[in-house]
Amino acid sequence: MTTVRVTRKGADRIRSGHLWIFASDLEDTGTAQPGEAVEVQGPQGRSLGVAHYSAASQISLRLLAREVRPVDREFLRARLMAALELRRRVVADSEACRLVYGEGDLLPALIVDRYADYLVIQLLSQGMDRLQADIVAILKELLAPSGILERNDAPVRHKEQLPSRVGVLEGEVPDRVWFTLNGLRFQADLRRGQKTGAFLDQRENYRAAAAYACGRALDCFTSTGGFALHMAARCHSVEAVDSSALALELAEAAARANDLCNIGFRQADVFDLLAGYDAARRRFSIVVLDPPAFARSRSGLEGAARGYKEINLRALKLLEPGGVLVTCSCSQHLSEAMFLEILAAAALDAGRMVRVLERRTQARDHPILLTVPETHYLKCLILQAL
């Protein structure tokens, strides 16, 4: 096995529990080839484990194991079986979930999502891309899906100098797939939809929000209707807003499939809509904010903070006394502590006294490693305006 030597800083990062080593912490890459599994050694030659080497990304090494061992089909099969066993324990009443969550399942840069009888995979590093054939074969053996689709069109692949690809790898995969989530029927566009077709990380938060739903609800950035459909049975009416015509088409189809007639869908810019509703003094019993990531990098945090404050301030003004705000951030670089500070400032500017009912995160099929903070990206706060 080819050896890659890292600096003391890089070695300390691995010993601290992280799985990444950056290009600036490489001391000697020897003859390592792009995507190769290599032995990682510290500056004194002490072995730190086995990692995938990337010749292009700033994340040059992604640790696979802390002992030196072959990264072969036996290794992959054991890791995939462990990931599947966790999902059997934490996912209920749903045909869709994240089966493999990269670093959270000790399979860095590999994503596998299930939608009923179909799987969608993403290979986000040179190393995982080289293992595609083995990964597909093992998934076929373990799960016998009707089809496996690759959604290798994520922008991060460009940083790995990997081509963008979307296509069927096994069996047949229709453009749109129906599946159940918490007992409700949804539809995903596997080739064109967000992420791998739909947002699966809010599955548990959908149920949490529904527990507080009543009266008139406003679901902003509804996408394929996750929060709206879950709240509808408990509300007099739900208004679901998104800027994407495709997402709203899927959401409306799901509402019809579940015989939910009290949801009105609207294509609009949420910032403009909230400002207009504030000026018109509209009021709601519950408002949901689930925007896309406003901060794609640390340099974008300042602008993201302004965006989060504006929409939350507007939403708080729209709440009836005792109303509930379910507000989310999927910006990895924005910590929960920072998000709480933004919400506190928004509450003060809105003139509302607010209490925290629940502090939540991504669903358990997106497991968080304590020593890899990048695996924790979703923040979901359920607040009450007194």
Side-chain angles (χ1 to χ4, degrees), residues 63-82:
L63 199 71
L64 296 162
R66 294 185 181 273
E67 70 278 0
V68 179
R69 55 160 301 167
V71 180
D72 52 16
R73 283 192 63 163
E74 179 185 350
F75 171 87
L76 290 172
R77 193 176 192 279
R79 288 285 169 88
L80 288 169
M81 287 181 66

Side-chain angles (χ1 to χ4, degrees), residues 152-206:
N152 285 322
D153 54 351
V156 70
R157 280 178 60 91
H158 299 311
K159 297 180 180 179
E160 296 276 338
Q161 294 182 354
L162 294 170
S164 179
R165 302 190 306 260
V166 177
V168 177
L169 301 175
E170 186 66 38
E172 295 182 0
V173 182
D175 287 341
R176 295 186 178 182
V177 171
W178 285 98
F179 60 92
T180 60
L181 196 75
N182 298 328
L184 291 170
R185 295 191 70 205
F186 287 89
Q187 192 178 41
D189 189 315
L190 301 187
R191 286 173 172 80
R192 297 184 299 158
Q194 293 285 337
K195 293 195 173 181
T196 61
F199 290 96
L200 303 177
D201 49 7
Q202 295 277 26
R203 176 174 47 83
E204 295 169 7
N205 295 331
Y206 291 153

Side-chain angles (χ1 to χ4, degrees), residues 117-131:
D117 293 329
Y118 302 93
L119 303 181
V120 183
I121 69 171
Q122 290 184 316
L123 308 158
L124 304 177
S125 72
Q126 293 177 346
M128 281 300 169
D129 199 62
R130 283 179 57 161
L131 296 177

